[in-house]
Each structure stands twice: as structure tokens, then as C-alpha cells.
Amino acid sequence: MTETQQGLQERDSTEAVRRRVAADHSLLRFICAELTRGYFLEHNEAKYTERRQRVYTCMRIPGELEKLMVFGYFVCLDAFLYTFTLLPLRVLLALLRLLALPCCGLRELRLLQPSQVCDILKGFIAVLCCFLMRYVDYAMMYHLIRGQSVIKLYVIYNMLEVADRLFSSVGQDILDALYWTATEPKERKRAHIGVIPHFLIAVLYVFLHTILIMVQATTLNVAFNSQNKSLLTIMMSSNFVEIKGCVFKKFEKNNLFHMSNSDIKERFTNFILIFIVCLRNMEQFSWNPDHLWVLLPDVSMAVASEIAVDIVKHAFVTKFNDITADVYSEYRARLAFDLVSSRKKNAYTDYSDSVARRMGFIPLPLAVLLICVMTSSLKIQGPLSYMCVMLFYLGMITLKVLNSIILLGKSCLYVKKANMEEKLVRNHQIPALNPSHQASKSQSKALRSTDPIQISAVATIVTQPSGLRSSVQELSSPVGGFQASDTAEGKAAVSKGSEVKHGSRKENLLDVDHFAICGNRID
């Protein structure tokens, strides 16, 4: 029995040693396997190619976004300069026509053209608002805002940004309602409250919006002049809150287009506000040029934070929603399409109004504020001062004309590159096939007219390739596309348009109505 127990113990010990050796061998094999284990990325090639493409898209976003921003900035600048340069001349021509009609006899059905009526209304609104702004004390507003705490000013500044967007949203609707009420055919049944109430509402809106922008500029001026710059730092850091509110939301192409237009408008408005702040500070320091170097770091920080926030925001929005960087070229072509469409002879809206509807940028309140600031900051005395003002005005007209020529030439390039010429012709072909009972004679007369317009003039001024020049001439002629099309094709286009209107389909950038985008609403 004892021998049996000893044999079992020896066998158990031998088995334990064998297991221990086997365990040591398995551990060594595991460690060797971990050290020498391989894998092949080409087994999931599509996944890694997509990830690499996302990185390349993020790298392309800054360049493509800034191209759109620069183009949109000069589009806003063109509409803004129009208020100072060409609008006063158009108002003067309209008033001269109105005064000359009694001498020539009332032979025409219209005393003024609809565009002239709109120009006169814009001029009167600007003059009345400039007169009302004389009773607003900027110094009292500055000291009232400066006496508030930093946190309160930070909250006020954010509230002003939201209020500015709301005012821009309702403002263009108010102005459009005034323009249509003043130019609506009189034979139609009256369905409005009258021109004078609409005019008073428009004046009240522009006046309140101007005061709102003035409070924004004053708050920014207080931030620039604060001792420890803490308020300016907090205000600039508030831009990064936009990243949190945007990057984690689902965006379609149309929504991203709305956000891009809002960023263009916001950047241009901030540049004007910074210019007003610098103007006020230079006035306080007796126009000492050395003070510009004191303001330069703050201005650079404000501009740099705005650009950095836009780049980061758009980079992550496109990454999370799988949107390519080429979409910004489509957005730029869409803005160019609006610019070219508004330059046609039978355009249905003014160019500045088209920019206001597309971007939510209304130049009238900002122009009124800049006029009031410049007239209060600059003292004009003597004939030499008036001569300098005249030269400055002529320089602004020159800048406006050059900017318009370059923009129009670039826009024709973008429209041609995006293959949108047919859409441009079709937008004016369908209304010509269905004229209203009131304007059928004038529209048919306009279709027979072959007078060149601004685009053909631009085609001769701006040096472009021959293919572009021919395409510009095709875009400028309101006849070629209409006379070359058969009536059957026109009816087919009309029927197709009605089917699209009543059908359920997803909107693309070309089919989004201007009024649906006013105020940068995101559906």
C-alpha cells in the first residue's frame, strides 16, 4: 500500500512538472506571437482610404473657405459701396425725371419706373434716419456701457448679436413689403395698409437697427479701451462658443450654405464695427497716427479669432457630415449666379436686395451709422475741405466701379465653370412665356430689344478667354435664348416647372428661393 502511494505521488509530481513546462512554453509562444504578429491594411482598403480623404478634406477647408469668404466679402462691399456712391446719383436722376415730367407733358403711363421708386424710398429712409440719429448721444451711451460690469457687458454683447440676426431677418421683409406696395399695379384690388404706413414702419426698423449696431460698436469700443483687456478677451473667446453649437449638429448642403452666408455677413459687419471703433479712438487722440500701433494688437486679435473660429467650425462640420471641400465652389457659383442674374435687363430685383436676401446683410442701417459717425468725427470747414470730400467721393465711385467690374468678370467665370448658363436663361424664359395681363406689352417689347447691358461692357473691359467672352455675351442677351427656343419646348419647360413645384423632391442650391434664406434661417 505504501508503494502504491509513493507511485501515485511520483506520477502527480511528474504531471505537475510537465504542466509547468507546457505553461511556460505557451506563455513564450504568446509573447512571441504578440511581438511578431502582423496585419494587412489592404484588407480594409476602403475604410482607410476614406479616413485619409477626410484628413485631406480638413486640410483643404481653410483654402476653399477663405476663397468663398473673400468673394462674399467683396460682394458685401459692393452692395455697401452702392449705398454711398450710386444710390444718391440714382435718387437725383429719379427726382429730376419727376420734376421734368410736367414740362414734357404726361405722355407716359408711369411717372417713375419701379426701380426709381425704390431708389427714392431708400434715399428718403436714409435721410430721415440720419436726421433722427442726430438726437442719439453717443458719449452718454459710451459712459453708460462703460459703467457696467464685465460679465454684464459680455451678456449684453451676446444678446446684441442675436438681436442683430433677428432684425436682419425681419428687416428685408419690411423693406420688400414697402417696395412692392409702392410699385404694385394700381388696377389690382388693394390688399395692403398703404404706402405711408409701410414707409413709417421701414423708417422705424432702420432707425432701431442702426441704434442696435451703434450699441454693438460702443460695447466693442469699451472693450478696446479697457485697462486689463479682460472684456476684449472674453468677447473674443465667445466666438468659440459657436463651435460647440454647430459642429455636433447634422448639416445638409443647404444648411451649410446658410451658415457660410451668415459667416460672410458677420465677418464683414465686424470689420465695419472695428473701423468705426478705430475712427472713434483716433478722434479722441486728435488723429495721432502713433495711436494706430496701440490699436493694432487688439484689432489683430479680433480678426484672427474670427478667422480661426470659422475655419475650425467649418472643418469639423464637413468632417462629421461627410461633405467634401468642393461644396464651397458650388456656394461661390451660387453667389455669382445671383450677381449675374441681377445685372440682366429684365431682372426682378436690385443687386443689393439680392445680397440682403441671400446673406441677411442689409447695408442701409450700417451705412446710416457710418455716415453719422464720420460726420460727427470729421469737421468740414472751408473750400479745401469740401474739395477733399468731393475727391473722396469720386474715389469711392471709382472703387465701386472697379469692384463691380472685377466681381462681374469673376462671376461669369464661376457661372460658366459650374455649367449654370442654361439655368440663367431658363429663369428668364419661363416668365416671358406667361406674361401677366398688365405687363404683356412691355415684356414683349423688352424681348425684342437687343440693347447691350453691363455684362457685355464688362466682357470688353475685363480680359477673359474667348470662350468666356462668348458666354458672357450669351448671358447678357435677353433675346438669344428666347428666340431660339420653340414654343413646344417652352411649354414643356413650364409643365416641368409645375410638376417640380407640386412634386416632393429635395431642394438643391439652385432651387432655394431667396426669401426662404432671408435672415440665415436653417430649416
Side-chain angles (χ1 to χ4, degrees):
M1 190 67 179
T2 305
E3 295 178 356
T4 305
Q5 291 178 353
Q6 290 179 354
L8 290 174
Q9 290 178 358
E10 290 178 359
R11 188 174 62 183
D12 292 340
S13 61
T14 305
E15 186 70 22
V17 171
R18 189 172 65 247
R19 289 178 180 177
R20 192 179 301 113
V21 172
D24 293 339
H25 282 294
S26 62
L27 180 60
L28 290 175
R29 283 199 304 268
F30 176 77
I31 295 176
C32 292
E34 287 296 319
L35 293 176
T36 60
R37 180 171 54 89
Y39 48 87
F40 300 93
L41 299 182
E42 60 266 17
H43 291 167
N44 200 354
E45 181 180 354
K47 176 183 177 181
Y48 291 105
T49 303
E50 180 185 359
R51 297 296 174 86
R52 183 176 62 186
Q53 193 61 37
R54 286 184 181 179
V55 175
Y56 291 164
T57 300
C58 290
M59 294 172 61
R60 288 181 57 196
I61 288 299
E64 296 295 330
L65 177 63
E66 288 306 313
K67 289 179 184 178
L68 174 65
M69 287 289 180
V70 170
F71 182 76
Y73 179 87
F74 283 102
V75 167
C76 292
L77 179 63
D78 192 65
F80 188 63
L81 290 176
Y82 170 82
T83 309
F84 294 97
T85 56
L86 299 186
L87 181 61
L89 298 178
R90 289 174 63 94
V91 172
L92 182 60
L93 291 177
L95 292 177
L96 290 177
R97 172 187 169 89
L98 192 62
L99 294 176
L101 280 179
C103 302
C104 301
L106 298 176
R107 298 180 181 179
E108 298 186 8
L109 296 178
R110 289 180 179 268
L111 294 178
L112 294 174
Q113 296 297 324
S115 59
Q116 294 176 325
V117 174
C118 295
D119 292 336
I120 291 178
L121 291 174
K122 291 178 184 178
F124 283 169
I125 290 173
V127 171
L128 285 176
C129 289
C130 288
F131 177 76
L132 293 175
M133 287 298 295
R134 295 179 58 187
Y135 296 95
V136 179
D137 192 352
Y138 178 82
M140 183 186 68
M141 182 183 299
Y142 177 83
H143 291 288
L144 180 65
I145 294 176
R146 190 173 185 178
Q148 308 300 321
S149 62
V150 174
I151 300 300
K152 188 180 293 186
L153 288 179
Y154 170 71
V155 175
I156 289 174
Y157 189 77
N158 289 335
M159 292 175 60
L160 290 174
E161 287 187 347
V162 176
D164 179 59
R165 294 192 178 189
L166 296 178
F167 267 80
S168 299
S169 175
V170 71
Q172 191 58 38
D173 294 338
I174 293 175
L175 296 176
D176 286 334
L178 171 64
Y179 302 152
W180 175 240
T181 304
T183 59
E184 187 179 9
K186 304 304 179 183
E187 289 78 6
R188 296 185 179 180
K189 182 180 179 180
R190 177 170 175 172
H192 52 80
I193 60 177
V195 178
I196 295 179
H198 277 286
F199 179 76
L200 295 178
I201 294 174
V203 171
L204 179 63
Y205 154 71
V206 175
F207 177 65
L208 294 178
H209 199 176
T210 304
I211 291 180
L212 176 67
I213 301 175
M214 187 176 186
V215 176
Q216 277 186 292
T218 306
T219 308
L220 193 61
N221 194 8
V222 171
F224 270 62
N225 294 330
S226 60
Q227 296 295 331
N228 53 4
K229 305 296 180 182
S230 59
L231 177 59
L232 183 63
T233 305
I234 293 175
M235 290 171 60
M236 294 304 103
S237 63
S238 66
N239 292 331
F240 291 89
V241 180
E242 296 182 20
I243 300 176
K244 179 182 177 181
C246 294
V247 298
F248 299 111
K249 292 182 180 179
K250 182 175 178 57
F251 277 83
E252 300 291 341
K253 280 189 176 182
N254 289 342
N255 304 125
L256 184 59
F257 185 43
H258 300 170
M259 189 177 73
S260 302
N261 290 331
S262 177
D263 292 338
I264 293 171
K265 175 251 181 183
E266 183 179 357
R267 184 178 295 189
F268 181 81
T269 304
N270 288 338
F271 283 165
I272 300 298
L273 292 180
I274 291 174
F275 174 75
I276 292 175
V277 169
C278 294
L279 201 64
R280 283 293 185 182
N281 279 273
M282 292 298 295
E283 179 194 4
Q284 296 298 323
F285 286 88
S286 302
W287 303 100
N288 185 8
D290 295 335
H291 188 64
L292 283 176
W293 297 103
V294 179
L295 295 174
L296 186 60
D298 298 335
V299 172
S300 302
M301 185 177 69
V303 174
S305 65
E306 186 72 26
I307 295 176
V309 167
D310 290 339
I311 291 176
V312 174
K313 180 172 62 176
H314 283 264
F316 280 99
V317 166
T318 53
K319 177 184 182 299
F320 291 148
N321 295 275
D322 294 329
I323 300 176
T324 62
D326 297 330
V327 73
Y328 292 102
S329 299
E330 299 178 17
Y331 298 161
R332 192 172 54 195
R334 175 69 263 189
L335 297 180
F337 181 85
D338 292 339
L339 194 149
V340 176
S341 299
S342 63
R343 291 296 198 273
K344 292 181 69 69
K345 176 176 289 188
N346 51 352
Y348 62 88
T349 183
D350 184 61
Y351 169 63
S352 59
D353 296 331
S354 176
V355 174
R357 296 188 190 103
R358 178 64 69 190
M359 299 183 181
F361 171 68
I362 305 177
L364 204 55
L366 202 58
V368 170
L369 176 61
L370 190 58
I371 290 174
C372 294
V373 170
M374 294 188 70
T375 53
S376 62
S377 301
L378 303 175
K379 304 301 180 183
I380 302 176
Q381 297 176 353
L384 185 60
S385 300
Y386 286 102
M387 186 177 297
C388 292
V389 170
M390 183 60 63
L391 292 176
F392 179 73
Y393 179 70
L394 293 177
M396 290 183 62
I397 292 180
T398 305
L399 178 62
K400 167 67 176 66
V401 172
L402 291 177
N403 188 43
S404 299
I405 291 173
I406 295 174
L407 275 179
L408 198 53
K410 289 291 184 181
S411 299
C412 293
L413 276 176
Y414 298 149
V415 169
K416 181 180 176 63
K417 186 177 180 180
N419 298 323
M420 297 167 63
E421 295 128 311
E422 296 180 358
K423 179 71 177 179
L424 184 65
V425 175
R426 188 166 64 250
N427 282 352
H428 295 271
Q429 180 177 0
I430 296 177
L433 294 172
N434 295 281
S436 62
H437 66 280
Q438 180 67 26
S440 59
K441 184 180 297 185
S442 61
Q443 285 189 357
S444 61
K445 183 177 180 180
L447 291 178
R448 291 193 300 268
S449 175
T450 58
D451 295 334
I453 61 172
Q454 297 176 357
I455 302 179
S456 60
V458 172
T460 59
I461 296 176
V462 182
T463 304
Q464 302 290 353
S466 58
L468 172 64
R469 187 171 301 176
S470 61
S471 65
V472 172
Q473 293 174 356
E474 290 175 3
L475 295 179
S476 65
S477 175
V479 188
F482 303 143
Q483 291 182 348
S485 61
D486 297 331
T487 307
E489 294 178 357
K491 292 181 179 179
V494 175
S495 62
K496 182 179 179 181
S498 61
E499 290 175 2
V500 169
K501 181 179 180 181
H502 297 287
S504 59
R505 64 177 182 84
K506 188 176 181 180
E507 291 182 335
N508 55 28
L509 293 178
L510 293 179
D511 299 320
V512 177
D513 185 66
H514 289 278
F515 292 92
I517 312 177
C518 179
N520 314 307
R521 292 191 293 268
I522 297 179
D523 300 327

